[in-house]
Amino acid sequence: MRKKKIGITIAVLFVLGASLMLYLQMTRDAYMPAGDEIALQIQFDIKEDIGLLVYDYCADGHAYSGGMSNADKSLIQHDSHMIIGWKKQELNSSSDAVELSIQFRIITEYVAPNYENIYPDAITRYMEPISWEARFGESYCIAITGDKTNGYKAALTADDT
């Protein structure tokens, strides 16, 4: 009788653990920004893996720059999903929205990131900037498509929330 209870307990724990893993997998992309935050959900649909994603952006006339790479120096996968988040304080804003303009650059090979965000022209691919009024507490989806040879494109998609 005791072995049966232990077996049932183990089975229940297994089912709960599997359910939790499934739930986390299904909701991993459902990031909800805080009320004082703007979130960009970047979805890659490109032909090859890349080294870095760099972005220059302007929020209400204030210019900034940032970037993303893998900490282990591996390439960013061609179908990756990334989230960029900015708080009001980071964007020097006290209003409910900002005029946001962002230009992405893909660095096609891995190189060590630097604070100046200056990389060799031979491995840098610029995209046309995109602009919109971004509201704090909202998440915006940006699709990045293309390839190293023909160029890349960033577009704000209709999936924004």
Side-chain angles (χ1 to χ4, degrees):
M1 181 73 153
R2 183 179 173 133
K3 287 184 180 182
K4 186 175 183 179
K5 284 184 181 181
I6 291 173
I8 290 172
T9 301
I10 290 172
V12 168
L13 290 174
F14 176 78
V15 169
L16 288 175
S19 298
L20 178 62
M21 286 180 11
L22 179 62
Y23 171 77
L24 291 174
Q25 180 66 29
M26 289 172 42
T27 61
R28 93 184 152 114
D29 295 338
Y31 178 80
M32 294 301 296
D36 67 340
E37 181 182 27
I38 294 169
L40 301 184
Q41 304 225 16
I42 312 297
Q43 181 61 56
F44 286 101
D45 184 14
I46 57 180
K47 303 251 179 181
E48 62 274 319
D49 299 343
I50 62 168
L52 302 156
L53 176 67
V54 179
Y55 43 91
D56 302 304
Y57 57 105
C58 187
D60 283 345
H62 300 282
Y64 307 93
S65 187
M68 299 180 108
S69 66
N70 285 333
D72 65 0
K73 301 180 181 180
S74 65
L75 294 177
I76 297 170
Q77 298 295 302
H78 65 278
D79 59 352
S80 291
H81 179 261
M82 299 177 157
I83 298 172
I84 302 168
W86 297 303
K87 298 268 188 192
K88 278 186 177 185
Q89 184 178 23
E90 292 173 88
L91 298 178
N92 294 312
S93 179
S94 59
S95 65
D96 292 335
V98 294
E99 286 300 319
L100 184 64
S101 176
I102 187 165
Q103 181 179 34
F104 291 97
R105 288 183 271 156
I106 286 183
I107 311 305
T108 59
E109 300 173 15
Y110 181 84
V111 293
N114 61 69
Y115 289 108
E116 296 83 24
N117 278 331
I118 298 172
Y119 301 96
D121 288 338
I123 60 170
T124 302
R125 303 294 185 272
Y126 288 86
M127 290 172 246
E128 291 295 321
I130 52 177
S131 301
W132 74 100
E133 181 183 72
R135 302 195 65 74
F136 288 97
E138 298 289 327
S139 181
Y140 299 91
C141 297
I142 296 177
I144 295 182
T145 58
D147 61 58
K148 183 177 175 179
T149 305
N150 299 307
Y152 298 96
K153 183 176 180 179
L156 193 62
T157 67
D159 297 329
D160 57 319
T161 57

